[in-house]
Amino acid sequence: MNTGSNGRREPTGVVEPAPGTQAEQPLGSRAPQYIQARKALHLSWQVGVFIVGLAVVVAGIIMLPLPGPGWLVIFGGMAIWATEFVWAQLVLRWTKRKVTEAAQRALDPKVRRRNIILTTIGLVIVAVLVAVYVWKFGITMPWKIKE
């Protein structure tokens, strides 16, 4: 048995997070204990969580072509599902990891410089196309169009 007095640590089988990182929550249901203890109540709880999450995800899908924060609402529905379902927790962890990686890549000075250059080139192309259109056809306000 290691008391820790000699400075060595024995492996405990528990994976500790790296310093400065957040520990991931364990997978599984986050329903209250009294709900998890009763099978019928837990099943109805899961059905309710699934229906609410489905409604939020469907609302987000509807918002994709319409005005509104579609992707944000979809991820909100996934977060609702992740309170109860392991598959949604795994999808949410994967999504968070990918978003974090993308944010780190976007903060890279080379990538930022490239993105600024590409945005500038795109804006110049759009400005030239608009200028050519205005030069060729002119600007006619909608209320002055002859029928």
Side-chain angles (χ1 to χ4, degrees):
M1 180 171 168
N2 186 5
T3 60
S5 60
N6 62 1
R8 291 184 6 207
R9 293 179 59 184
E10 293 179 8
T12 60
V14 176
V15 178
E16 294 181 12
T21 61
Q22 228 178 11
E24 291 184 344
Q25 291 184 352
L27 297 175
S29 175
R30 291 186 181 86
Q33 287 296 332
Y34 68 90
I35 291 177
Q36 289 182 9
R38 294 160 182 84
K39 190 163 179 81
L41 187 58
H42 191 231
L43 182 63
S44 62
W45 176 272
Q46 286 181 325
V47 169
V49 167
F50 182 80
I51 290 172
V52 170
L54 183 65
V56 172
V57 168
V58 168
I61 291 171
I62 290 171
M63 285 183 204
L64 287 175
L66 299 175
W71 285 110
L72 185 65
V73 173
I74 290 172
F75 290 132
M78 288 297 296
I80 291 171
W81 279 339
T83 63
E84 201 56 38
F85 303 107
V86 173
W87 61 268
Q89 293 168 1
L90 294 173
V91 168
L92 214 53
R93 281 185 185 177
W94 179 84
T95 304
K96 286 179 183 178
R97 189 172 56 247
K98 292 298 179 184
V99 167
T100 304
E101 290 172 5
Q104 290 301 321
R105 281 195 311 268
L107 294 176
D108 181 27
K110 291 179 183 178
V111 174
R112 289 184 68 200
R113 193 175 314 117
R114 183 198 66 201
N115 289 345
I116 290 171
I117 290 170
L118 289 175
T119 302
T120 304
I121 290 170
L123 288 174
V124 167
I125 290 171
V126 168
V128 167
L129 290 174
V130 167
V132 168
Y133 179 84
V134 168
W135 175 69
K136 182 117 175 139
F137 300 106
I139 297 179
T140 304
M141 294 298 167
W143 53 86
K144 291 185 178 181
I145 295 176
K146 297 178 182 176
E147 295 190 40

